[in-house]
Amino acid sequence: MKNMLQGKTAWSFLFFLAVSLLGCQVGPPKGVTAFIVDEPTEFASAMLMFPKSEEYRLPLKLKYVDTNTFQTTATLPPGRYTLVVRTEMGRYMKIPVDIEAGKRLYHVNTGPTIADEDLIVQKPTNLLRGKVQVPSGEQPREVLVLFVEHDAILKRVAVSSDGRFEVAAPHEGTFWIEMFAFTDKKRWKWEGGPYDLRKSVDLDLVYLRSLNQ
């Protein structure tokens, strides 16, 4: 087992050394998909959001391997994904990535970043803001916000390193709000309302409760 681990470590080192020396003309090991962000800004973490046809799947957290280089061993069916990268300061950017069958190495840059859909509006948008907090353990990096009125609308929202989030209301109205968050070991929930989102609302601190048995 020890020899196997040493072999994997050596392979990873040789792969990324080869990428640096050969201008990334070689691919990662079989079964690994790697993403390299060609950007001077250094990003501390990354996750991959699935195509809209699978929008209810939780984002896939990528493994940090080297500066602006992230990878996963998960099987990725072809389609348009969104790579979300974050800096240590909590700034994040969304980058569209077209996953192709058989392709294992992707170079991306922040040039064609996706503008947050919540910002593309013709008039001022009413926002729901707050700061999530959990009793213990890993801080969630995103929450699923469910707006319940006559219908239910689910939005996926990034959470900054200090727990803050901001999401646009689906439209002006009064909503019951439910929030869900997931980490590697925990599941969390919060609910409250009704909230009048004909204007922006700041929830202040949102204490999530554990759903784990």
Side-chain angles (χ1 to χ4, degrees):
M1 178 65 72
K2 182 177 181 180
N3 290 337
M4 290 177 63
L5 292 174
Q6 290 175 339
K8 289 183 178 180
T9 301
W11 172 255
S12 297
F13 172 77
L14 290 174
F15 163 62
F16 287 106
L17 179 62
V19 167
S20 300
L21 294 177
L22 300 179
C24 302
Q25 297 302 312
V26 297
K30 185 177 180 180
V32 173
T33 303
F35 302 86
I36 299 176
V37 186
D38 296 322
E39 165 73 33
T41 301
E42 291 191 11
F43 296 100
S45 64
M47 62 182 178
L48 200 63
M49 297 175 66
F50 287 86
K52 288 188 175 182
S53 59
E54 301 180 69
E55 62 180 336
Y56 294 108
R57 291 187 63 177
L58 290 177
L60 177 65
K61 185 177 180 180
L62 303 180
K63 180 180 179 181
Y64 177 93
V65 181
D66 200 355
T67 303
N68 285 5
T69 302
F70 305 89
Q71 70 179 34
T72 181
T73 56
T75 301
L76 302 176
R80 169 150 286 205
Y81 292 67
T82 302
L83 180 68
V84 182
V85 289
R86 290 183 175 83
T87 66
E88 287 286 359
M89 301 302 293
R91 174 180 173 234
Y92 72 95
M93 304 186 76
K94 299 178 181 179
I95 309 170
V97 181
D98 290 315
I99 300 297
E100 304 172 22
K103 185 174 179 179
R104 301 197 307 273
L105 178 61
Y106 294 85
H107 275 272
V108 298
N109 60 70
T110 57
T113 52
I114 301 174
D116 192 328
E117 292 179 0
D118 293 342
L119 300 179
I120 306 177
V121 291
Q122 301 301 317
K123 61 180 181 179
T125 302
N126 298 329
L127 300 172
L128 180 71
R129 302 186 182 93
K131 181 177 181 180
V132 297
Q133 186 170 329
V134 296
S136 62
E138 181 184 356
Q139 171 72 37
R141 297 198 173 187
E142 75 169 16
V143 290
L144 298 178
V145 182
L146 186 66
F147 294 85
V148 182
E149 194 184 31
H150 305 298
D151 199 355
I153 299 173
L154 185 67
K155 290 197 173 188
R156 193 186 305 270
V157 186
V159 175
S160 66
S161 58
D162 64 355
R164 297 188 180 280
F165 70 91
E166 183 177 273
V167 58
H171 53 264
E172 292 187 348
T174 301
F175 299 87
W176 179 264
I177 306 294
E178 295 186 15
M179 294 186 192
F180 301 87
F182 302 87
T183 60
D184 291 340
K185 298 180 180 180
K186 293 281 188 178
R187 295 176 297 167
W188 310 92
K189 182 182 178 181
W190 175 91
E191 58 187 3
Y195 291 100
D196 183 356
L197 283 168
R198 289 175 294 179
K199 58 183 182 299
S200 294
V201 172
D202 194 333
L203 297 175
D204 198 15
L205 286 177
V206 176
Y207 293 96
L208 301 176
R209 61 181 176 85
S210 175
L211 290 177
N212 292 67
Q213 299 296 328

Tab-separated table of all heavy atoms in Angstrom, residues 51-78:
chain	number	residue	atom	x	y	z
A	51	PRO	N	-24.619	21.025	-15.536
A	51	PRO	CA	-25.471	21.715	-16.525
A	51	PRO	C	-26.862	21.991	-15.979
A	51	PRO	O	-27.317	21.358	-15.015
A	51	PRO	CB	-25.515	20.708	-17.692
A	51	PRO	CG	-24.257	19.913	-17.558
A	51	PRO	CD	-24.034	19.789	-16.067
A	52	LYS	N	-27.565	22.945	-16.592
A	52	LYS	CA	-28.894	23.334	-16.111
A	52	LYS	C	-29.871	22.168	-16.106
A	52	LYS	O	-30.807	22.143	-15.305
A	52	LYS	CB	-29.447	24.473	-16.967
A	52	LYS	CG	-28.743	25.803	-16.725
A	52	LYS	CD	-29.433	26.938	-17.434
A	52	LYS	CE	-28.784	28.279	-17.084
A	52	LYS	NZ	-29.463	29.417	-17.735
A	53	SER	N	-29.645	21.192	-16.985
A	53	SER	CA	-30.525	20.027	-17.007
A	53	SER	C	-30.405	19.210	-15.723
A	53	SER	O	-31.256	18.392	-15.416
A	53	SER	CB	-30.191	19.138	-18.206
A	53	SER	OG	-28.833	18.714	-18.148
A	54	GLU	N	-29.306	19.440	-14.983
A	54	GLU	CA	-29.090	18.741	-13.715
A	54	GLU	C	-28.895	19.760	-12.594
A	54	GLU	O	-28.078	19.574	-11.703
A	54	GLU	CB	-27.869	17.836	-13.810
A	54	GLU	CG	-27.964	16.786	-14.901
A	54	GLU	CD	-26.730	15.913	-14.971
A	54	GLU	OE1	-26.514	15.120	-14.033
A	54	GLU	OE2	-25.977	16.027	-15.945
A	55	GLU	N	-29.646	20.854	-12.641
A	55	GLU	CA	-29.428	21.974	-11.732
A	55	GLU	C	-29.657	21.635	-10.267
A	55	GLU	O	-29.195	22.350	-9.378
A	55	GLU	CB	-30.321	23.145	-12.118
A	55	GLU	CG	-31.801	22.853	-12.032
A	55	GLU	CD	-32.637	24.060	-12.429
A	55	GLU	OE1	-32.127	25.176	-12.324
A	55	GLU	OE2	-33.782	23.864	-12.851
A	56	TYR	N	-30.355	20.547	-9.979
A	56	TYR	CA	-30.603	20.213	-8.583
A	56	TYR	C	-29.490	19.334	-7.998
A	56	TYR	O	-29.570	18.955	-6.835
A	56	TYR	CB	-31.965	19.535	-8.427
A	56	TYR	CG	-33.100	20.479	-8.745
A	56	TYR	CD1	-33.851	20.352	-9.906
A	56	TYR	CD2	-33.392	21.538	-7.880
A	56	TYR	CE1	-34.871	21.247	-10.192
A	56	TYR	CE2	-34.412	22.435	-8.168
A	56	TYR	CZ	-35.147	22.274	-9.319
A	56	TYR	OH	-36.146	23.162	-9.602
A	57	ARG	N	-28.476	19.010	-8.786
A	57	ARG	CA	-27.330	18.295	-8.250
A	57	ARG	C	-26.416	19.278	-7.537
A	57	ARG	O	-26.179	20.390	-8.015
A	57	ARG	CB	-26.557	17.588	-9.373
A	57	ARG	CG	-27.318	16.441	-9.991
A	57	ARG	CD	-26.458	15.671	-10.959
A	57	ARG	NE	-25.315	15.042	-10.302
A	57	ARG	CZ	-24.448	14.258	-10.941
A	57	ARG	NH1	-24.589	14.028	-12.226
A	57	ARG	NH2	-23.442	13.712	-10.292
A	58	LEU	N	-25.914	18.897	-6.409
A	58	LEU	CA	-25.010	19.768	-5.665
A	58	LEU	C	-23.710	19.942	-6.439
A	58	LEU	O	-23.258	19.036	-7.138
A	58	LEU	CB	-24.715	19.166	-4.287
A	58	LEU	CG	-25.879	19.165	-3.303
A	58	LEU	CD1	-25.472	18.468	-2.018
A	58	LEU	CD2	-26.337	20.581	-3.005
A	59	PRO	N	-23.068	21.105	-6.331
A	59	PRO	CA	-21.807	21.337	-7.026
A	59	PRO	C	-20.754	20.318	-6.600
A	59	PRO	O	-20.770	19.804	-5.480
A	59	PRO	CB	-21.409	22.753	-6.597
A	59	PRO	CG	-22.684	23.385	-6.174
A	59	PRO	CD	-23.513	22.294	-5.586
A	60	LEU	N	-19.855	20.048	-7.506
A	60	LEU	CA	-18.770	19.101	-7.254
A	60	LEU	C	-17.539	19.873	-6.791
A	60	LEU	O	-17.015	20.718	-7.521
A	60	LEU	CB	-18.459	18.324	-8.537
A	60	LEU	CG	-17.304	17.322	-8.489
A	60	LEU	CD1	-17.643	16.185	-7.528
A	60	LEU	CD2	-17.039	16.771	-9.886
A	61	LYS	N	-17.094	19.616	-5.581
A	61	LYS	CA	-15.911	20.293	-5.059
A	61	LYS	C	-14.665	19.701	-5.699
A	61	LYS	O	-14.475	18.488	-5.703
A	61	LYS	CB	-15.845	20.149	-3.532
A	61	LYS	CG	-14.706	20.922	-2.904
A	61	LYS	CD	-14.741	20.794	-1.383
A	61	LYS	CE	-13.599	21.571	-0.754
A	61	LYS	NZ	-13.625	21.452	0.733
A	62	LEU	N	-13.820	20.556	-6.251
A	62	LEU	CA	-12.602	20.105	-6.916
A	62	LEU	C	-11.423	20.127	-5.952
A	62	LEU	O	-11.363	20.946	-5.034
A	62	LEU	CB	-12.296	20.987	-8.129
A	62	LEU	CG	-13.402	21.072	-9.190
A	62	LEU	CD1	-12.959	21.968	-10.338
A	62	LEU	CD2	-13.759	19.685	-9.714
A	63	LYS	N	-10.485	19.242	-6.191
A	63	LYS	CA	-9.303	19.159	-5.338
A	63	LYS	C	-8.245	20.158	-5.811
A	63	LYS	O	-7.930	20.228	-6.991
A	63	LYS	CB	-8.725	17.744	-5.385
A	63	LYS	CG	-7.480	17.564	-4.519
A	63	LYS	CD	-6.951	16.147	-4.615
A	63	LYS	CE	-5.688	15.986	-3.773
A	63	LYS	NZ	-5.143	14.607	-3.872
A	64	TYR	N	-7.724	20.935	-4.862
A	64	TYR	CA	-6.634	21.866	-5.166
A	64	TYR	C	-5.358	21.050	-5.326
A	64	TYR	O	-4.987	20.263	-4.456
A	64	TYR	CB	-6.482	22.875	-4.030
A	64	TYR	CG	-5.330	23.852	-4.215
A	64	TYR	CD1	-5.535	25.083	-4.821
A	64	TYR	CD2	-4.042	23.538	-3.793
A	64	TYR	CE1	-4.495	25.983	-4.990
A	64	TYR	CE2	-2.995	24.424	-3.964
A	64	TYR	CZ	-3.224	25.646	-4.563
A	64	TYR	OH	-2.187	26.533	-4.741
A	65	VAL	N	-4.661	21.242	-6.459
A	65	VAL	CA	-3.441	20.486	-6.725
A	65	VAL	C	-2.219	21.393	-6.786
A	65	VAL	O	-1.165	21.075	-6.240
A	65	VAL	CB	-3.564	19.702	-8.051
A	65	VAL	CG1	-2.297	18.892	-8.312
A	65	VAL	CG2	-4.762	18.774	-8.010
A	66	ASP	N	-2.369	22.526	-7.447
A	66	ASP	CA	-1.277	23.479	-7.588
A	66	ASP	C	-1.916	24.845	-7.822
A	66	ASP	O	-3.133	24.944	-7.930
A	66	ASP	CB	-0.378	23.073	-8.762
A	66	ASP	CG	1.001	23.712	-8.678
A	66	ASP	OD1	1.206	24.536	-7.767
A	66	ASP	OD2	1.866	23.406	-9.516
A	67	THR	N	-1.096	25.876	-7.938
A	67	THR	CA	-1.637	27.221	-8.132
A	67	THR	C	-2.596	27.251	-9.322
A	67	THR	O	-2.211	26.939	-10.448
A	67	THR	CB	-0.505	28.231	-8.373
A	67	THR	OG1	0.386	28.180	-7.261
A	67	THR	CG2	-1.058	29.636	-8.521
A	68	ASN	N	-3.862	27.580	-9.043
A	68	ASN	CA	-4.914	27.680	-10.062
A	68	ASN	C	-5.121	26.382	-10.834
A	68	ASN	O	-5.601	26.395	-11.973
A	68	ASN	CB	-4.624	28.838	-11.025
A	68	ASN	CG	-4.925	30.177	-10.389
A	68	ASN	OD1	-5.254	30.261	-9.209
A	68	ASN	ND2	-4.810	31.241	-11.161
A	69	THR	N	-4.770	25.276	-10.237
A	69	THR	CA	-4.960	23.967	-10.859
A	69	THR	C	-5.792	23.091	-9.929
A	69	THR	O	-5.450	22.906	-8.764
A	69	THR	CB	-3.614	23.282	-11.141
A	69	THR	OG1	-2.829	24.132	-11.984
A	69	THR	CG2	-3.816	21.948	-11.841
A	70	PHE	N	-6.898	22.583	-10.465
A	70	PHE	CA	-7.827	21.793	-9.666
A	70	PHE	C	-8.198	20.538	-10.454
A	70	PHE	O	-8.132	20.532	-11.689
A	70	PHE	CB	-9.088	22.606	-9.362
A	70	PHE	CG	-8.801	23.934	-8.708
A	70	PHE	CD1	-8.580	25.070	-9.482
A	70	PHE	CD2	-8.737	24.045	-7.328
A	70	PHE	CE1	-8.300	26.295	-8.882
A	70	PHE	CE2	-8.464	25.263	-6.722
A	70	PHE	CZ	-8.239	26.380	-7.501
A	71	GLN	N	-8.575	19.494	-9.754
A	71	GLN	CA	-8.890	18.257	-10.457
A	71	GLN	C	-9.975	17.471	-9.731
A	71	GLN	O	-10.318	17.738	-8.581
A	71	GLN	CB	-7.641	17.388	-10.593
A	71	GLN	CG	-7.141	16.793	-9.291
A	71	GLN	CD	-5.921	15.912	-9.475
A	71	GLN	OE1	-5.082	16.176	-10.329
A	71	GLN	NE2	-5.818	14.880	-8.667
A	72	THR	N	-10.514	16.470	-10.451
A	72	THR	CA	-11.504	15.575	-9.876
A	72	THR	C	-11.373	14.205	-10.525
A	72	THR	O	-10.925	14.089	-11.672
A	72	THR	CB	-12.939	16.111	-10.089
A	72	THR	OG1	-13.864	15.200	-9.487
A	72	THR	CG2	-13.284	16.241	-11.566
A	73	THR	N	-11.755	13.181	-9.799
A	73	THR	CA	-11.788	11.824	-10.351
A	73	THR	C	-13.219	11.418	-10.695
A	73	THR	O	-13.461	10.299	-11.115
A	73	THR	CB	-11.196	10.822	-9.353
A	73	THR	OG1	-11.908	10.919	-8.106
A	73	THR	CG2	-9.722	11.089	-9.106
A	74	ALA	N	-14.165	12.343	-10.517
A	74	ALA	CA	-15.567	12.045	-10.825
A	74	ALA	C	-15.773	11.928	-12.338
A	74	ALA	O	-15.087	12.583	-13.124
A	74	ALA	CB	-16.468	13.131	-10.257
A	75	THR	N	-16.713	11.106	-12.733
A	75	THR	CA	-17.073	10.982	-14.139
A	75	THR	C	-17.959	12.160	-14.536
A	75	THR	O	-18.985	12.407	-13.893
A	75	THR	CB	-17.818	9.665	-14.402
A	75	THR	OG1	-16.975	8.568	-14.022
A	75	THR	CG2	-18.198	9.539	-15.873
A	76	LEU	N	-17.567	12.880	-15.589
A	76	LEU	CA	-18.295	14.071	-16.015
A	76	LEU	C	-18.903	13.837	-17.400
A	76	LEU	O	-18.186	13.843	-18.406
A	76	LEU	CB	-17.355	15.280	-16.062
A	76	LEU	CG	-16.647	15.643	-14.749
A	76	LEU	CD1	-15.679	16.795	-14.982
A	76	LEU	CD2	-17.656	15.994	-13.670
A	77	PRO	N	-20.201	13.644	-17.483
A	77	PRO	CA	-20.840	13.493	-18.802
A	77	PRO	C	-20.674	14.787	-19.603
A	77	PRO	O	-20.587	15.875	-19.027
A	77	PRO	CB	-22.309	13.254	-18.453
A	77	PRO	CG	-22.301	12.784	-17.029
A	77	PRO	CD	-21.159	13.490	-16.383
A	78	PRO	N	-20.605	14.706	-20.918
A	78	PRO	CA	-20.469	15.910	-21.746
A	78	PRO	C	-21.602	16.900	-21.487
A	78	PRO	O	-22.729	16.514	-21.185
A	78	PRO	CB	-20.526	15.358	-23.178
A	78	PRO	CG	-20.055	13.939	-23.055
A	78	PRO	CD	-20.594	13.470	-21.725
